[in-house]
Amino acid sequence: MAFLEMRGVKKSFGRTEVLKGIDLTLEKGKTLAIIGSSGSGKTTLLRCINFLEMPDQGEMILDGKPLFNAVEAKGLSEKQLREKRLHFGLVFQNFNLFPQYTVRENLCLAPKLLAKEQEIDKAKRKELFAEIEAKADVLLAKVGLTEKADSYPCQLSGGQQQRVAIARALAMSPDILCFDEPTSALDPELTVEVLNVLRSLAAENMTMIVVTHEMKFASEVADTVLFMDNGVVDFYGDTKTAFGPDCPSARLKEFVGSIQK
């Protein structure tokens, strides 16, 4: 059974229909690469998955349970939407770290705010905060930045900031980790740093959705490829087929060929 399933997702901005009925499935522990030219709708799709945009039509199912139905969505409170967002971690193009906080504080901020909402006594909250800080240190080690825990974002390279952003997303223990062009703001040398972290997460069977223009990464790491063209899914299938000579989509072949030139 699919871990994540989307059925008939549509999204328009004014009279412009950006998503024209998207269906997809993703198995637990697998990596999905979403590729396509600018304006094809891939970032909008990712934002709908994370509830940063609300689909106009369609439904989402997570781990066999209904997560979203556009018919019922108008009645959702902000608290309910926030609870749904917790299933997903999102790493943006431009890091979006809080400049006034250290690296460790960036990782701990959201989990501590969530802990403060719980009705627990001070002793239990103090214990929970200690666990959050310990987890932050484990995650910084995972992305190779233990020595930067007390640094501020302005003291880090772009690649280091993006690795902090990945660790921050992991700090919330999401079911699915999502990336929106995670290397687009980086030069080639720093891009390698970030892609290596994504490779290690894939090797650990982290369920991931990656919007990317890095075809080499997509071909080597993703289990499945979704190619979007003009708001529709032009190709959805295994990576070997997507980048192989027998790919059934002429448009995908043309796109990959133009990228690799």
Side-chain angles (χ1 to χ4, degrees), residues 13-260:
F13 296 99
R15 296 183 179 181
T16 304
E17 190 177 19
V18 179
L19 302 179
K20 302 176 182 179
I22 305 298
D23 299 318
L24 68 84
T25 59
L26 177 61
E27 294 182 17
K28 190 175 182 64
K30 302 297 184 181
T31 298
L32 168 66
I34 301 178
I35 63 175
S37 58
S38 297
S40 61
K42 56 188 187 295
T43 292
T44 298
L45 174 59
L46 194 70
R47 289 177 65 84
C48 285
I49 291 172
N50 285 272
F51 297 101
L52 295 179
E53 299 288 352
M54 297 297 289
D56 302 317
Q57 296 183 39
E59 60 181 330
M60 293 172 57
I61 299 165
L62 181 66
D63 200 16
K65 300 176 183 178
L67 183 65
F68 173 85
N69 187 308
V71 176
E72 304 168 354
K74 293 181 180 179
L76 293 174
S77 66
E78 183 56 37
K79 181 180 179 181
Q80 289 172 315
L81 281 174
R82 190 166 65 248
E83 290 173 350
K84 293 180 183 297
R85 291 185 185 117
L86 290 175
H87 291 287
F88 305 91
L90 179 58
V91 178
F92 297 90
Q93 296 181 25
N94 295 315
F95 328 134
N96 287 11
L97 301 176
F98 294 104
Q100 70 272 36
Y101 296 129
T102 66
V103 165
R104 184 186 285 109
E105 289 169 342
N106 264 277
L107 267 65
C108 294
L109 181 62
K112 285 184 175 180
L113 288 175
L114 192 63
K116 287 181 179 179
E117 294 180 359
Q118 300 180 28
E119 295 182 0
I120 54 178
D121 59 40
K122 290 184 178 180
K124 180 62 178 176
R125 181 168 292 136
K126 184 178 180 180
E127 180 182 334
L128 189 53
F129 277 17
E131 291 175 0
I132 289 169
E133 291 170 1
K135 182 178 180 179
D137 288 337
V138 170
L139 291 173
L140 287 175
K142 181 187 287 287
V143 299
L145 290 173
T146 297
E147 76 284 359
K148 299 295 184 180
D150 297 318
S151 299
Y152 288 86
C154 65
Q155 297 172 312
L156 306 179
S157 69
Q160 290 171 333
Q161 289 187 60
Q162 191 63 296
R163 283 188 279 157
V164 172
I166 293 171
R168 181 179 63 178
L170 289 169
M172 295 297 289
S173 301
D175 294 308
I176 300 175
L177 189 57
C178 303
F179 299 85
D180 184 13
E181 299 279 12
T183 61
S184 64
L186 305 176
D187 62 39
E189 185 176 3
L190 299 181
T191 291
V192 172
E193 294 179 12
V194 175
L195 293 182
N196 284 340
V197 173
L198 268 66
R199 287 187 175 92
S200 67
L201 291 173
E204 295 172 6
N205 297 318
M206 180 73 200
T207 310
M208 298 190 292
I209 300 174
V210 186
V211 171
T212 183
H213 61 274
E214 296 284 348
M215 294 302 103
K216 187 174 187 294
F217 169 81
S219 64
E220 292 177 352
V221 179
D223 300 286
T224 309
V225 170
L226 186 151
F227 173 62
M228 295 192 65
D229 186 43
N230 195 30
V232 301
V233 177
D234 181 84
F235 173 89
Y236 181 72
D238 68 89
T239 305
K240 186 176 180 180
T241 301
F243 293 100
D246 298 323
C247 177
S249 168
R251 180 69 186 94
L252 175 53
K253 285 183 177 180
E254 178 186 0
F255 173 77
V256 172
S258 67
I259 292 290
Q260 293 179 338

